[in-house]
């Protein structure tokens, strides 16, 4: 893995994380770094799940010379939605900014 692959993974993870936050209803009080980390983890997990269960389509798209399978990206976004929801719940649970009655 070279520097370009690492940068592409970070950018793709950020995109996956942002798409997951858009798909998930409501407000998620997690930061940009958490969003990117969840997106990167979802990209890796989604690729593994798609490979493990042979989830592929015949529809592809290309971005800057890299080809992506729509079905795999869908699995990645689905996993990212779950990850963002879990991160939002954890952030709310461990937040120190609670309303005091």
């Amino acid at each position: 893995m070279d520097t370009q692959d690492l940068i592409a993974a970070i950018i793709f993870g950020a995109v996956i994380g942002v798409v997951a936050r858009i798909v998930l209803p409501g407000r998620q009080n997690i930061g940009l770094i958490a969003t990117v980390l969840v997106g990167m983890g979802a990209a890796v997990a989604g690729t593994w799940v798609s490979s493990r269960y042979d989830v592929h389509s015949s529809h592809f798209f290309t971005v800057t010379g890299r080809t992506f399978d729509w079905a795999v990206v869908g699995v990645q976004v689905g996993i990212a939605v779950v990850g963002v929801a879990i991160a939002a719940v954890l952030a709310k649970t461990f937040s120190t900014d609670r309303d005091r009655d």
Side-chain angles (χ1 to χ4, degrees), residues 33-55:
I33 293 174
T35 300
V36 171
L37 291 175
V38 167
M40 289 173 63
V44 171
T47 302
W48 179 81
V49 167
S50 297
S51 176
R52 173 83 167 100
Y53 295 105
D54 198 29
V55 177

Side-chain angles (χ1 to χ4, degrees), residues 9-18 21 28-42 80 83-84 87-88 91:
I10 292 169
I11 292 171
F12 191 67
V15 170
I16 293 286
V18 168
R21 286 185 70 168
Q28 302 85 34
N29 289 325
I30 62 173
L32 179 64
I33 293 174
T35 300
V36 171
L37 291 175
V38 167
M40 289 173 63
V84 166

Side-chain angles (χ1 to χ4, degrees), residues 4-5 7-9 11-12 61-68:
Q4 280 186 326
D5 290 337
I7 292 170
I11 292 171
F12 191 67
F61 65 99
T62 303
V63 177
T64 64
R66 299 181 192 279
T67 303
F68 300 97

